[in-house]
Every structure is written in C-alpha cells, then in structure tokens.
C-alpha cells in the first residue's frame, strides 16, 4: 500500500485538483492512500476524493513558517511512513521541501512538470539548465520522495468516490514559530497564479504603473510586475513574476516595458502566449514573444483601453 501526504492551500481549488492529479500520476494503481494536511480553513471539497484529512487546526501552527511546517510533516511521516510528500511549487514549498527531505532522508525533486510510469517505476521530469532542457529522474521505491509540483502541469481526472476519514493526529511539542506579524495588509486583487491574463509592467511603465489596472479589469486579468518594479515600490511582492517571485502560466502575458532578464523569463516559461510592447525590440523578452509591438508601453495601454471601451459601447464585445 502506497501512502501519499499532500500539503495544499484549502483556498486554492485549482491547486488542490492539480496536486491530486500529480498523486494519481505518481502511483496510478488503486493500492494507495491519499492524506491531506489541513492546518487552516476547510477541505470540504476534498471529501470523497482522499482517504484521510489530517485536521491540525487545533495545534495553532503557522502555515507560513517553513521550519515549523517541516517539523509537522516530519512528525506525520514518522507516524504514517509516507512513500511521497507533495506540495505546491510556491515560496513555501521551495523553502520547506529541501528541509523536509534532509530531515526524513528522502529523495527530492522540485518544480516537477510531468510524472510518467515506465515498467512500474515512476519517472519524474523537471526543467533544468534555466529551462533549456528537461531532466528525467527515476524514483527509488524503497526511499521516500518529496516533490514540489508546478502549476498547470497536471490535468485532473475523474476518480471514483472514496470514504474520507477525518483524523486529528497528536503531534510532539513543536518549537514555536519565530515569525511575528508586524503588520497586516488586506489585498483586494486576484492572485496572479490564478489569472489567465496578466498585464505585467517593467521599468518602461514606471512613470504611471497604476495605468495598468484599468486595462487588467477590462480584459478580466490581473496586474503583475518585474522585480525592478517591486524593488522600486510600485508593485507588491505578491505581484512579482520571476525566479525570486512567482512562476506563472497564463494563457496571455502582456509584457509592458519589460526587458526580460533570465530571472524574469524563468517565471513565465509556461505562458501560452506572450505579447511584448517595448521601445527596444532587441530586449531579451522580445525573442520569446509571439507578437512584438515597438513603441511606448503606456501609449499602447491608453490606445488599447480606448479601443476596448469603443467596442464595448458599440456592443461588439
């Protein structure tokens, strides 16, 4: 019997389904158990899809503290002897997974993009060499495995419903979290990870970064940014696309005044279509774009928004 522990955010429906699909790909046979870790919120949508929900809401665990989360999962592994532990390839996952792998002496593959099965052995793929190649790794069935799963890589499949147990496991005394909240900021905007359309700004729109928001609203998308804009205080860290920000996979990425350093490009390697607007058509991001518009990015934004409003008033969109 193979046993998998999945750490997921209960507020991210699509992420939940993708992680479940990754677990199905890892051990496709029926002889497996799926456990989901719950430290806040609810997982009602997962009832009937997993074998057990490990409810730890009474333990007052800080879900943003990678060290404390590592201790939680290590303790659960000691009790249940998981064959694999899966988590999203986000900031927490990339911080927590290496710690956990060392602690439980597991193999680890981060940023997993595909999982196959050859002759009964799991074959795991991830991008390597700055996304220029794909590495393939054969899982050792005798050793636990820690994986972080890239978004939008795994397609959910219908599974027969199964009885779901609600477990409230006991944990050893965990070290208190060292993270202290010094401020709270309510963010009233969509998460760029969930957006199919991203209107992304770089230095070329620094003189009026706020102009991107009306265009994002008109297109039903969200505003994102390069690291330069975040460092300059024009955008929030949660909006940053790139190696040190978020790896996004929208259907459309509109890059406005973005040069496209390799660290930024790595964050949008899974975008279906890229349109770049730049005064410099030799900027690195232009070579990756489906369409390149030469010109001032803010002028483009203004004209596109006016065109959308005109079409809306004519009833054509």
């Amino acid at each position: 019997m193979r046993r998998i522990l999945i750490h997921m955010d209960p507020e991210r429906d699509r992420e939940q389904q993708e992680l479940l699909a990754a677990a199905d790909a890892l051990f496709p046979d029926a002889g497996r158990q799926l456990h989901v870790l719950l430290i806040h919120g609810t997982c009602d949508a997962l009832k009937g899809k997993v074998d057990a929900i490990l409810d730890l809401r009474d333990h007052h665990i800080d879900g943003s503290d990678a060290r404390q989360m590592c201790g939680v999962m290590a303790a659960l592994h000691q009790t249940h002897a998981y064959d694999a532990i899966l988590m999203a390839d986000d900031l927490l996952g990339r911080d927590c997974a290496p710690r956990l792998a060392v602690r439980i002496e597991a193999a680890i593959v981060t940023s997993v993009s595909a999982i196959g099965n050859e002759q009964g052995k799991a074959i795991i793929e991830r991008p390597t060499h700055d996304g220029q190649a794909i590495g393939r790794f054969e899982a050792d069935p005798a050793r636990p495995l820690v994986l972080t799963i890239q978004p939008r890589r795994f397609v959910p499949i219908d599974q027969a419903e199964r009885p779901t147990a609600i477990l409230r496991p006991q944990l050893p005394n965990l070290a208190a979290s060292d993270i202290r909240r010094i401020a709270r900021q309510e963010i009233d905007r969509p998460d760029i990870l969930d957006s199919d359309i991203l209107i992304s700004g770089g230095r070329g729109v620094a003189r009026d970064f706020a102009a991107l928001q009306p265009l994002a609203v008109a297109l039903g998308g969200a505003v994102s940014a390069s690291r330069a804009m975040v460092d300059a205080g024009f955008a929030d860290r949660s909006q940053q696309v790139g190696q040190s920000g978020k790896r996004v996979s929208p259907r459309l990425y509109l890059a406005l005044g973005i040069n496209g350093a390799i660290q930024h490009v790595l964050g949008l390697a899974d975008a279906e279509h890229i349109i770049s607007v730049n005064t410099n058509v030799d900027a690195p991001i232009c070579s990756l774009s489906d369409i390149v518009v030469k010109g001032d990015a803010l002028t483009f934004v203004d004209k596109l928004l006016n065109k959308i409003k005109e079409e809306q008033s004519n009833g054509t969109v």
Side-chain angles (χ1 to χ4, degrees):
M1 175 72 71
R2 296 288 192 175
R3 191 170 290 151
I4 306 172
L5 175 65
I6 305 176
H7 171 268
M8 59 177 63
D9 188 331
E11 297 177 358
R12 295 185 181 277
D13 294 337
R14 188 174 68 193
E15 177 185 289
Q16 292 177 12
Q17 302 308 314
E18 291 172 352
L19 286 168
L20 289 175
D24 289 332
L26 185 62
F27 300 130
D29 59 277
R32 66 174 183 273
Q33 285 189 348
L34 300 180
H35 291 188
V36 169
L37 177 58
L38 178 62
I39 60 170
H40 68 89
T42 62
C43 276
D44 292 339
L46 293 173
K47 291 179 179 178
K49 298 181 179 179
V50 299
D51 297 284
I53 295 175
L54 308 182
D55 190 344
L56 299 177
R57 288 176 295 182
D58 293 336
H59 290 267
H60 306 293
I61 298 165
D62 188 338
S64 63
D65 188 335
R67 288 171 293 184
Q68 194 174 48
M69 288 303 303
C70 176
V72 169
M73 287 188 275
L76 293 172
H77 174 72
Q78 188 173 13
T79 301
H80 297 283
Y82 292 109
D83 295 279
I85 299 177
L86 276 58
M87 57 193 82
D89 189 52
D90 53 17
L91 292 176
L92 177 65
R94 294 195 292 271
D95 194 1
C96 185
R99 299 171 185 266
L100 179 62
V102 170
R103 189 156 175 176
I104 67 174
E105 298 182 348
I108 178 173
V109 183
T110 58
S111 301
V112 173
S113 57
I115 300 175
N117 199 278
E118 296 179 5
Q119 298 179 345
K121 295 182 179 180
I123 304 297
I124 301 161
E125 296 184 358
R126 73 177 303 276
T128 63
H129 299 84
D130 293 336
Q132 301 304 307
I134 298 294
R136 302 181 81 242
F137 306 87
E138 181 181 305
D140 181 356
R143 188 177 184 187
L145 185 62
V146 174
L147 304 178
T148 67
I149 307 299
Q150 285 190 6
R152 300 202 184 206
R153 293 291 195 169
F154 293 86
V155 179
I157 59 176
D158 292 331
Q159 294 283 345
E161 285 206 4
R162 62 184 80 187
T164 300
I166 306 297
L167 306 180
R168 292 178 171 79
Q170 297 298 313
L171 295 176
N173 292 328
L174 298 171
S177 173
D178 292 332
I179 294 178
R180 296 291 180 267
R181 180 182 296 167
I182 59 176
R184 181 180 179 86
Q185 179 183 9
E186 295 292 341
I187 299 177
D188 185 21
R189 58 172 173 264
D191 193 315
I192 63 174
L193 290 175
D194 299 328
S195 298
D196 286 332
I197 298 175
L198 288 179
I199 312 302
S200 197
R203 288 189 178 94
V205 296
R207 67 184 187 275
D208 191 8
F209 185 77
L212 276 58
Q213 182 60 33
L215 180 59
V217 172
L219 293 175
V223 174
S224 58
S226 67
R227 178 173 178 174
M229 298 302 286
V230 173
D231 289 346
F234 291 103
D236 186 77
R237 187 69 61 184
S238 64
Q239 295 173 281
Q240 181 183 330
V241 173
Q243 191 173 34
S244 56
K246 293 182 178 180
R247 299 175 183 177
V248 297
S249 51
R251 288 172 40 233
L252 174 62
Y253 189 80
L254 181 55
L256 301 168
I258 293 177
N259 184 59
I262 185 63
Q263 292 85 356
H264 183 81
V265 169
L266 287 174
L268 55 94
D270 298 324
E272 289 185 27
H273 303 288
I274 300 175
I275 298 175
S276 294
V277 184
N278 208 305
T279 55
N280 176 20
V281 295
D282 294 322
I285 198 170
C286 294
S287 64
L288 303 174
S289 303
D290 300 281
I291 298 174
V292 177
V293 179
K294 183 177 182 179
D296 179 73
L298 287 173
T299 301
F300 174 88
V301 169
D302 185 56
K303 290 185 176 181
L304 179 57
L305 191 55
N306 286 335
K307 184 62 175 177
I308 292 173
K309 291 178 179 178
E310 178 184 330
E311 296 295 329
Q312 288 175 336
S313 65
N314 293 335
T316 55
V317 294

